[in-house]
Amino acid sequence: MTALFATDFFWETWPWWADTIFRLIFAIVAVLLPAGATVYLYLFKMVSFMQSRLGPMEAGPYGSMQLLAEVGKNLQKEDIFPARADRTVFAMAPYVVLLSTFLLAVVIPFGPEATFIDLDTGVYFALAVSSVSVIGILMAGWASASKYSLLGGLRAAGQLIAYELPLILAVVGVVIQAGTLNLQDIVTAQNQQEIFGWGAIGNPFILTQMLGFIIFLIAVQAELTQVPFDMPIAESELVSGYMTEYSGFRFLMFFIAEFATANIFAFLGATLFLGGWSVPPFLTDLLGIAWDSPIMNLVGPFVMLTKMLLLTFIFYWVRFTYPRFREDQLQKFAWKVLIPLSLMNIAITAVFKVVF
Amino acid sequence: MTDTTTEAPDDEVVETDEAREALLEAIGSEFGDAIIETHLVPGRDLWIRIDPAAWADTATYLRNRQRFRFFNWLSAIDWMPSPFGRSMDSEVDKLVGAVDEEEAAEEEEAGTGYAGGATRFQIVARVHNLSTLQGLTLKADIGDADASAESLSIGTWTHEYPGANWHEREVYEMYGISFEGHPGLRKLYLPGDFEGHPLRKDFPLLARIVKPWPGIVDVEPMPELPEKPEPAAAGDTAAEAPADAPSTENPEDTQ
Amino acid sequence: MTAVSDRRQLAYIAAQAADARVNVELEAEGMTLNIGPQHPATHGTLRIVARLDGEQVIEADPIMGYMHRGYEKLAEVRTYPQVTTLINRIDWLGSFANEVPFILAAEQLMDIEAPPRAQHIRTILFEMARIANLTLFLGDMGVQLGAVTPVFYAFRDREHILNQIEAATGGRFHPNFDRIGGLKDDLPAGWVAETKESLGHITKFCNLMDDLLIGNEIFEARTRGIGVVPADVALSYGLSGANVRASGVDWDLRRDNPVGLAYDKVDWKVWTHPDGDSFARYWVRLQEVRESVKIVEQLLDTIPSGPIMAKVPRIIKVPEGEAYVETENPLGVMGYYVVSKGGLNPFRVKIRSASFSNMSITPWLLKGTYVPDVITILASLYFILGDIDR
C-alpha cells in the first residue's frame, strides 16, 4: 500500500480530478469523523459520567448510534425562518461558519505527504481563516431578527476579536522557535531539534512554550465560545445566543461547526505544540525507519487523532466544570492578562533564540 | 377608641404583654383619635384599626419612630357575605351534620374580625420590628359604609415601604382599591383588559358554579379508627388520639 | 398576492404589534428585551421586560401572572383540610414547608396544639423540605452562571432526601401530610436510620459545592459585588430568609419565633453574611443546608414517643377569629393570614409568600446592571414561580 503511494507511476497516472475527489473525501472524513468521535466520547459519555449520569444508552450498543439519531432528528425538523429574518443571510450564516472550519482544516499536516495544501504561511492562514466564523456568527445574529441573537452575535464579535490577538501572539513564540510559518516545517523542527543535545523525544514546543501553550488553549476556548467564554451562546442568559432562532438542518450545521472546529483547533494545537503527526525520534529509531518515512502517512493521522483527543479532553473538561465569565471580565482578561503575558512570552523566546 | 382583649389561648403564654401594651400606648399617644379600635392577644399579636385618613402617616411613624423596618405584607378583606352562599352547602353535608342552617346563618352575621370594621372593604397590613421581634397588624376601613365599590381609595405606603408597591398593585386589581400616590398603579397578575376584581366576594368563582361542592365526602378516618364514621354523630365526635404508634396494618390507612 | 406571503405579512404585523405593545408597556424607546415568559433563567413563566442600553439595563419591570392560580380565592370555598392540597403547590420544591404555617394558623384559631411527637416530626420534615429546596438552588446557581455540572449533583443527592420524604409521607413533591392537630401518619419503621444515611449525601454535596463553586475564581468574579442589597432596603422591600441574612440581618423565625415547631430543642446556628451580594446569598444558603442537616440529625435522635394526633373533631370547623402565623420557609418568610367566620371554610386567606416580596426588589436592584448580572441576581434572590404567582 505504501509502496503504491510512493511510486511515481501512481501519482502520474492519478488524474487531477481523482486527486481532488480524494482530498475532498479525506477533508470531510478529517473534519466529521473526529467531530463525531469527540461528540460521542466526550460530550455524550465522558461528560455524562462526570455529571453522574449514564448519557445516551438506547441508540445502538451503549448509545453509540446516538449521534446518528441526533442527525436524523435534526434533518427531519422543519426549517423555520423567523418572520422578520433576512432570509438570504439567515440561510447562509451556517455555511459561512462551517466553511471556516473546513478552511482551517486544509493546512493541517497529517503526515509527511498527507497534507491538503502545504502552505508556506500555514500558521498565518490558519489563524486568518479561523476568524471567518465571526462573520458567520454575526450574520446569524443579525439576520435572525431576534434580540437575543443580536446580543449573542455582538458578544461573539467582541469576544472573537479580543481573543484573536492572544491566539496569534501565543503562536508567534512557536514561529520564532521553529523559524518558519509552515506547519509542516514546524513539525519537522519539533522532531529534529534537540533539548540541550538530547534528541530522544525531539523538542515538542509544549516544553519550551508552556506559557504559549496555556495561552493558546485559553484563547482557543474563547474562539470556540465554550465555557468559561460561552457568552455568545449563554443558555441561561441569551437562551442560545446567535443560534436561538435556528432549527433543523441549519442548527445541525452550527452544531457540527462548533464541535468540528474544536477538533481542528486541537489538531492545530497538536501540530504547533505536541509535535504534530510525528512520533518521538527514539521510537522511529527503535523501529529503524526514518522519522518521515512514507509509513507515517498512514500512522500520522492516528498520532494526530490521539493528540487531538488529548487536547479536546481538556476542552470539554473545562467546558463542563467552570462557570462563565461576564463579557467585560472576559475583555479585561484578554487585554490585561493574556496579551501582556503572550508579549512577554514572545520577548523571552526571542531573547533565547538570539542567545542560543 | 375601644379595646378588646382575648385571653391567651395557652396557659404557658403570659397573660399580660407589656411590650405590646407599651407599643399600643405609644401609638395611641401619637395618633389619638385616629385609632378606632385595637385588639391584643397577649404574647401573640396586636391588631390596630386606624382611621383611613391617617393610614399613610402610620407607615411613616411606624417605620421611622418605632423601627418597624420590615414590611411584611399588605392586603384587603371584603367583609360582605358572598352572594353565592358559601358555595359549600350540599345535601351530603347536611346529612353528616357538617352544616346546619343555624350555624350558617350565624356565620353570615358574624362580625368583621378583630378590631372590628365598619365598611365592606378593609385594608390589612403587617409590619415587623426586628429588634423587639414584634409584629403588628394594621387595619383601615375603606370608603363609607355605602360607598360605591368603584371609588375606593386610600393613601399609599410606597413612600415608606417600597415593597408595598406590588402588594398595593395586587390589592388594586383584586379588590379595585386604588392607592393615592402610588407610582405605577396597574394590574399585577391579570391581563390589562380583565374586567372585575376577583377577590371580591361578589365575583363568582366559576369553577365552583359549574361544578358545585360535592359535600364532605372525604372525611378522613383517624388511624386508630378502623370503622367508618357514623354519619349522624360525626359532627361532634372527637377522634380518639392514638396512645402509641399506630398499627400499620390498619386498612383505612392505605386509602 | 399568494397565501404564503399573506401569512408572512400577518406574522410580520403580529410581530410589530407585539413589539409596540412591549414599548407601550414601558413607555420607552430603545431596545426592550423580553426576558421570559419562556426563558431558561426564569424557572417557569416569569417575564422581565428590560430596557437596555447596549447590555446595560436602564429599567426592568417584572411581569407576573402567567401562573397565577388564584389560591386565595380557591381557599375560600374549600374546607381547611382541603386547603393544604392547594398550598402544597405554592413553593413546589419545599412543599411540606408550605403546609405548616397554614396548619399552625388553623390550630391557633381552633386553640389546639399538636402533640410533641407530631411537632417533632413536622420539624424534621420541614427541614427536609428545606434541604430538598435549597440543594437545588445550590446546583442551579451554577447553571445560571454557566457551570452545568453542579445541578446534576444537586439532583442526584436531593433524590435521597426526596425518597425519605416519600417514604414518610407518600409524596415526593406534594406530601399533603400535615393535618390540623398533628400528622396523617406516623413514621415508617427504619425511617430514622435511612434518613440519617441520606443526610450524609447532603453533607458531601455541600462540601462538593464548596469546592466547585465557592472556591472558583470565576464564580466569585461573577457574584461578588453583584446585586448588593443594603439591609435597610431589603427590609423595607420585605425581603426575608437568606436574602436578608446575606445582608447582615440576624433574623430567623426558626430561632426567634418557633411557634409549634421543635427548633428550640436543638443546637444550631443562624448564619449571616455582611456583604449583601449574590455571593453572600449563595454562601448563606449553603451554610443553611448544613445547619438543616445538623438540625435533622439532632431531631432524629430525640423523637419523643406519644400520639401523632391531638383530639380533633372529625369535621373541622374553625371558630371565628383571625390568625397570622409565619414560618421560616426555604425561600423566606411564609405566612398565612386566616380569617375565619366560624365554619368549614376560611373566609379569607392571605398568603404571604416569600418569593413575591423577594422579587419585588428587582426593579430597584436590576437598574444599571448588565444582562448577565440580571441572571445572577435573579438566581441568587432565588424565587419559585409558584411562590410569586400563588
Side-chain angles (χ1 to χ4, degrees), chain C residues 114-133:
Chain C
R117 185 178 172 86
Q119 289 190 8
H120 213 86
I121 297 171
R122 263 183 200 172
T123 318
I124 292 172
L125 288 170
F126 194 99
E127 284 307 306
M128 286 174 75
R130 184 189 312 279
I131 293 170
N133 188 325

Side-chain angles (χ1 to χ4, degrees), chain A residues 18-309:
Chain A
D19 195 53
T20 308
I21 289 172
F22 179 76
R23 279 159 193 263
L24 205 64
I25 291 169
F26 189 77
I28 289 171
V29 167
V31 171
L32 294 186
L33 199 70
T38 46
V39 166
Y40 173 71
L41 266 179
Y42 292 148
L43 189 71
F44 288 169
K45 282 300 175 186
M46 181 193 83
V47 166
S48 299
F49 294 155
M50 282 167 76
Q51 296 173 344
S52 66
R53 56 196 171 96
L54 284 174
M57 290 298 282
E58 298 299 322
Y62 214 59
S64 51
M65 296 295 119
Q66 181 64 28
L67 197 62
L68 293 180
E70 299 270 335
V71 170
K73 177 192 78 180
N74 274 309
L75 287 179
Q76 286 172 33
K77 284 193 175 174
E78 189 189 349
D79 190 15
I80 299 170
F81 286 91
R84 286 186 292 162
D86 188 334
R87 290 177 75 89
T88 328
V89 181
F90 185 82
M92 270 168 59
Y95 292 96
V96 175
V97 176
L98 202 57
L99 178 79
S100 141
T101 309
F102 277 96
L103 281 179
L104 196 57
V106 297
V107 286
I108 312 281
F110 289 93
E113 276 107 30
T115 56
F116 297 107
I117 341 164
D118 193 7
L119 275 182
D120 275 344
T121 52
V123 175
Y124 182 76
F125 177 84
L127 298 177
V129 295
S130 75
S131 321
V132 172
S133 67
V134 185
I135 300 170
I137 288 170
L138 257 181
M139 280 163 71
W142 162 252
S144 296
S146 155
K147 288 160 184 170
Y148 288 109
S149 301
L150 185 63
L151 279 178
L154 288 175
R155 282 180 178 194
Q159 168 178 342
L160 297 194
I161 289 164
Y163 277 82
E164 203 75 354
L165 214 53
L167 185 67
I168 292 167
L169 293 176
V171 175
V172 166
V174 172
V175 172
I176 293 172
Q177 216 177 343
T180 172
L181 280 168
N182 186 323
L183 283 166
Q184 190 68 276
D185 291 347
I186 289 175
V187 174
T188 313
Q190 290 183 72
N191 196 277
Q192 295 301 302
Q193 283 183 2
E194 292 172 338
I195 307 167
F196 301 115
W198 181 63
I201 58 162
N203 182 15
F205 290 150
I206 185 175
L207 300 175
T208 47
Q209 294 288 330
M210 194 65 197
L211 185 61
F213 180 64
I214 291 166
I215 294 169
F216 178 83
L217 285 187
I218 294 171
V220 162
Q221 200 76 355
E223 280 286 303
L224 295 169
T225 64
Q226 289 195 354
V227 177
F229 307 104
D230 72 330
M231 294 71 115
I233 300 171
E235 271 137 84
S236 59
E237 297 161 21
L238 300 181
V239 191
S240 275
Y242 58 87
M243 289 198 283
T244 307
E245 302 293 337
Y246 281 89
S247 64
F249 179 61
R250 282 174 221 286
F251 174 78
L252 186 67
M253 284 174 72
F254 272 122
F255 185 80
I256 292 169
E258 186 184 342
F259 294 103
T261 316
N263 296 325
I264 304 296
F265 267 113
F267 278 136
L268 194 65
T271 309
L272 290 172
F273 294 98
L274 300 180
W277 51 264
S278 71
V279 292
F282 75 91
L283 274 179
T284 42
D285 291 350
L286 214 64
L287 295 167
I289 52 171
W291 75 274
D292 57 349
S293 75
I295 191 97
M296 289 308 291
N297 283 331
L298 291 179
V299 178
F302 291 100
V303 174
M304 282 290 269
L305 198 69
T306 316
K307 291 175 177 173
M308 183 274 288
L309 286 176

Side-chain angles (χ1 to χ4, degrees), chain C residues 36-231:
Chain C
Q38 291 183 351
H39 187 278
T42 54
H43 318 254
T45 49
L46 177 76
R47 172 176 162 214
I48 291 174
V49 180
R51 188 148 63 89
L52 299 184
D53 174 20
E55 281 209 27
Q56 197 170 25
V57 178
I58 303 171
E59 194 179 340
D61 186 20
I63 294 173
M64 299 145 310
Y66 294 93
M67 234 182 93
H68 189 243
R69 294 153 292 181
Y71 283 163
E72 292 182 8
K73 183 84 175 173
L74 291 173
E76 288 173 9
V77 294
R78 271 162 177 74
T79 59
Y80 284 86
Q82 286 174 329
V83 172
T84 51
T85 320
L86 292 178
I87 58 182
N88 252 298
R89 272 83 180 162
I90 290 177
D91 159 19
W92 49 66
L93 291 180
S95 296
F96 185 80
N98 297 334
E99 302 172 23
V100 173
F102 179 79
I103 293 292
L104 289 173
E107 283 178 0
Q108 201 178 80
L109 281 171
M110 292 176 74
D111 200 6
I112 47 176
E113 195 176 356
R117 185 178 172 86
Q119 289 190 8
H120 213 86
I121 297 171
R122 263 183 200 172
T123 318
I124 292 172
L125 288 170
F126 194 99
E127 284 307 306
M128 286 174 75
R130 184 189 312 279
I131 293 170
N133 188 325
L134 290 186
T135 42
L136 197 60
F137 161 80
L138 295 176
D140 180 70
M141 184 82 176
V143 173
Q144 304 300 337
L145 295 174
V148 283
T149 307
V151 80
F152 288 97
Y153 299 141
F155 276 119
R156 180 191 66 191
D157 293 333
R158 179 171 169 265
E159 200 62 30
H160 299 286
I161 293 293
L162 289 180
N163 284 344
Q164 288 315 107
I165 293 177
E166 187 185 10
T169 67
R172 261 161 59 86
F173 284 118
H174 302 302
N176 202 12
F177 192 62
D178 216 356
R179 295 288 186 274
I180 292 170
L183 294 166
K184 181 177 178 293
D185 255 325
D186 211 331
L187 296 175
W191 190 82
V192 171
E194 277 173 34
T195 308
K196 272 187 187 161
E197 199 187 312
S198 71
L199 289 173
H201 293 281
I202 299 298
T203 313
K204 270 187 219 155
F205 169 77
C206 288
N207 296 337
L208 197 63
M209 288 301 112
D210 227 342
D211 294 343
L212 265 176
L213 290 176
I214 293 279
N216 186 305
E217 285 85 355
I218 301 175
F219 181 81
E220 288 202 26
R222 283 297 306 279
T223 52
R224 278 207 191 267
I226 302 300
V228 179
V229 186

Side-chain angles (χ1 to χ4, degrees), chain C residues 7 11 16 30 41 43-44 65 70 116 128 146 190 194 225 235 270 302 315 345 387:
Chain C
R7 214 173 59 213
Q16 287 282 3
H43 318 254
M128 286 174 75
E194 277 173 34
L235 292 178
V270 177
T302 56
I315 289 170
N345 49 342
D387 208 35

